[in-house]
Amino acid sequence: FTREIIEQRIDKFKCALYRTFQPLRVMRFNSSSSRCLMYLTAIIAALLPFPSFSFYDNSENVLTFTDFTDFASNIRGDDSIWMMQFYSTSDADSKQYTPVWEGIATILKGVVKVGAIDFSSEKFKEGLNSVYGIKGPSILFFGSDKTQYKPHKGDTDPQTLINAVLQTIVNQVEKRASAQFGGGPNTGASGGGGSGGEKHSTSSDSGAVSLDGSTFGKIYESKEIWMVAFVAPWCGHCKNLLPEWHSAASALKGSGANLAVVDATQEESLASQFGVRGFPTIKVFPGGDKSGPGDAIDYMGGRTEDQILQYTLEEVERSGVPKEIPEMTSLDVLKENCDVSKKVCILTALPHILESMAAGRNKYLETLKAAQKATKSPRIEFLWYEGGSFQTKLEQSLELTFGFPAVVALSMEKSVYAVMRGSFTEKSIKKFVNSILSGKASTVKFDTLPSIETVEPWDGEDGVPFEEEPFDLDDLLSDEF
């Protein structure tokens, strides 16, 4: 069916509807009855069994698919580089872009596979949304490992897209060379080992925890989330995964989730317990009580650092143990949480315990926890301390002199800070954090932080007012005085 045939059908039904209501033509319609007739026309037209159509059904160079299963089965078993456009037939921009995409597909024919899918179609919508998060027009690049994909975020003109494709090809060749020779594309025959092995080490120094049969039990003793990658030293996909895995592990420090690595060639018995047959195999232990291998589920996320972080933080929100916000009681606590690469600390000075008492302080902390949960970023760490007491030098250096509660974002790595100028609410704190993450907040440089006083942690109780000794007026009026 063509668009012309569909439009003819609509016209025929309009005529039929007109004849049905012909006796009413002698009546004077008011605006309400006219709208009713218009709505009825639209409803009848919408209920007609019109066939769906795609922008690229007749294309010779753009690949199309019958449904999501067809797409998944074709792309997963193919080592080629794919570039996929996800469009909507109801989107005017997508329609205008059709000849451009056709031209790109023609240029890349035989080099890269170029396809297109109507993501709004019921045959694709659910699968694309759940697996790739597709909810709007977008372009994705796929390498040989189809579990890893890269969204295109730049301009969509032909030159920009072709340059992006060429870069994807270069990256793909470098990965294959690394897997084949243990190094980059320039690695000689005598350099099969060397630095490549060091880069992909499974040591815990790299971020993720290295586990074996004697230490694996710590997972069952923990209520936190654990994700374990079973790898093999000779596995090319494992070598690609491990740098991303270690980076994600470092970013997740203190989040309530832990990443681990097991060398399955050395721990065959452990790998057998989890039915490991290919590499890498990733198992997830949700938060809460654990008793054995039966508690593990298969990892369903991607293999880049951002995809690993996204999946893990969603699991933290779903099953993770609620994270307590540390109290800054010493310089060591500040360094442990804030003096970390790419970390930004949201440091909050709460009112003195005698001002708010325990109930008020707990309410402030609940607001911070809600803002922390809403932030969902491993780059942000929340801390608090009692303002106006022992850390007055710190407060003066960070401009926290306008009362409490007060919030400041602190990057020890970049030696900058930014003060929140707004009310102490979840919404305001979240907005402030987003401005930090997006780089829109104005920051102030500092040379060194003043000394942090070591104090006793809050015991969770109300404050006890200072009691003065009783004053006796007779002592003041005595002859001896």
Side-chain angles (χ1 to χ4, degrees):
F1 286 87
T2 64
R3 290 177 179 269
E4 288 76 10
I5 294 176
I6 292 175
E7 290 173 355
Q8 289 173 11
R9 279 197 174 190
I10 294 175
D11 288 339
K12 288 181 179 179
F13 273 88
K14 285 182 178 179
C15 292
L17 189 66
Y18 176 81
R19 288 194 297 270
T20 301
F21 287 91
Q22 190 174 18
L24 299 177
R25 286 194 299 165
V26 297
M27 299 174 60
R28 184 182 298 275
F29 282 9
N30 58 33
S31 59
S32 175
S33 58
S34 297
R35 283 198 300 272
C36 290
L37 183 57
M38 179 182 67
Y39 294 154
L40 185 58
T41 304
I43 291 171
I44 293 176
L47 292 175
L48 293 179
F50 294 135
S52 60
F53 54 87
S54 164
F55 291 158
Y56 303 96
D57 280 344
N58 299 320
S59 173
E60 296 181 0
N61 299 317
V62 178
L63 299 174
T64 58
F65 309 91
T66 57
D67 53 28
F68 180 76
T69 303
D70 181 33
F71 166 65
S73 61
N74 274 276
I75 195 171
R76 285 175 184 170
D78 194 297
D79 287 335
S80 304
I81 292 174
W82 287 57
M83 183 170 67
M84 291 295 304
Q85 179 201 13
F86 300 95
Y87 66 92
S88 172
T89 52
S90 62
D91 179 46
D93 291 336
S94 295
K95 181 179 179 181
Q96 293 177 0
Y97 193 67
T98 302
V100 178
W101 194 251
E102 284 274 12
I104 293 172
T106 302
I107 294 171
L108 295 175
K109 185 176 182 180
V111 180
V112 170
K113 292 187 176 181
V114 179
I117 289 177
D118 177 9
F119 71 85
S120 62
S121 169
E122 294 298 329
K123 296 179 181 180
F124 295 95
K125 184 187 299 183
E126 183 177 353
L128 291 176
N129 188 14
S130 61
V131 178
Y132 302 109
I134 302 295
K135 296 181 180 179
S138 54
I139 296 173
L140 265 60
F141 293 98
F142 295 84
S144 58
D145 182 1
K146 296 305 184 292
T147 61
Q148 298 189 44
Y149 51 90
K150 181 180 179 181
H152 178 69
K153 298 181 180 179
D155 294 333
T156 56
D157 60 279
Q159 188 61 54
T160 300
L161 281 173
I162 290 172
N163 288 340
V165 168
L166 293 176
Q167 186 59 53
T168 303
I169 293 173
V170 171
N171 294 341
Q172 188 65 48
V173 172
E174 288 180 347
K175 285 184 179 180
R176 290 183 180 180
S178 177
Q180 182 71 27
F181 303 112
N186 297 322
T187 301
S190 63
S195 61
E198 294 177 4
K199 179 180 179 181
H200 302 300
S201 167
T202 61
S203 167
S204 59
D205 293 339
S206 302
V209 180
S210 183
L211 297 177
D212 56 28
S214 64
T215 57
F216 202 86
K218 67 168 60 178
I219 292 179
Y220 304 134
E221 299 170 0
S222 170
K223 292 185 180 294
E224 294 189 339
I225 294 164
W226 282 81
M227 292 169 49
V228 184
F230 291 85
V231 300
W234 44 261
C235 165
H237 290 318
C238 300
K239 292 177 180 179
N240 294 334
L241 168 69
L242 285 174
E244 308 289 333
W245 196 251
H246 289 310
S247 295
S250 298
L252 288 167
K253 182 181 179 182
S255 68
N258 308 275
L259 303 190
V261 179
V262 171
D263 183 347
T265 63
Q266 298 294 321
E267 304 295 331
E268 294 182 359
S269 175
L270 196 57
S272 177
Q273 293 180 37
F274 292 92
V276 176
R277 295 184 177 86
F279 304 108
T281 292
I282 301 175
K283 295 292 182 177
V284 180
F285 292 85
D289 295 329
K290 307 172 186 64
S291 58
D295 294 318
I297 60 176
D298 291 328
Y299 173 74
M300 302 300 290
R303 295 183 184 176
T304 66
E305 178 183 354
D306 288 342
Q307 291 167 344
I308 295 166
L309 291 175
Q310 179 183 356
Y311 181 96
T312 309
L313 292 175
E314 288 175 356
E315 184 61 37
V316 168
E317 186 174 356
R318 188 185 71 82
S319 68
V321 178
K323 181 186 175 185
E324 291 297 321
I325 297 177
E327 179 184 2
M328 188 191 70
T329 55
S330 66
L331 178 61
D332 289 339
V333 174
L334 180 65
K335 285 186 174 182
E336 180 183 353
N337 291 277
C338 301
D339 198 5
V340 182
S341 176
K342 299 181 182 180
K343 283 279 187 181
V344 175
C345 265
I346 305 301
L347 186 60
T348 301
L350 296 181
H352 194 282
I353 189 63
L354 291 178
E355 285 189 46
S356 63
M357 305 304 276
R361 176 166 290 182
N362 285 325
K363 188 174 180 180
Y364 286 130
L365 290 174
E366 288 302 318
T367 300
L368 281 179
K369 289 179 182 178
Q372 176 183 249
K373 185 176 181 180
T375 300
K376 296 181 184 177
S377 173
R379 312 296 185 197
I380 298 295
E381 192 72 37
F382 282 76
L383 278 82
W384 72 275
Y385 73 96
E386 183 176 85
S389 297
F390 300 99
Q391 313 298 348
T392 54
K393 292 181 180 178
L394 177 67
E395 289 157 7
Q396 290 174 0
S397 65
L398 298 180
E399 301 180 69
L400 302 180
T401 56
F402 49 83
F404 307 107
V407 180
V408 62
L410 177 66
S411 171
M412 297 184 70
E413 180 182 26
K414 296 182 179 180
S415 298
V416 296
Y417 69 91
V419 179
M420 185 181 88
R421 309 289 183 182
S423 58
F424 190 81
T425 63
E426 175 190 343
K427 184 177 180 181
S428 294
I429 298 172
K430 181 182 177 182
K431 183 178 180 181
F432 173 64
V433 172
N434 287 339
S435 70
I436 296 295
L437 292 172
S438 64
K440 295 180 179 179
S442 59
T443 58
V444 180
K445 192 80 175 175
F446 66 85
D447 294 327
T448 57
L449 288 175
S451 59
I452 305 296
E453 299 294 330
T454 300
V455 299
E456 290 294 321
W458 179 45
D459 59 8
E461 302 295 330
D462 284 333
V464 179
F466 175 75
E467 293 186 5
E468 297 181 354
E469 293 184 3
F471 179 75
D472 191 341
L473 186 60
D474 291 339
D475 290 340
L476 181 62
L477 299 177
S478 64
D479 293 338
E480 185 179 342
F481 178 80

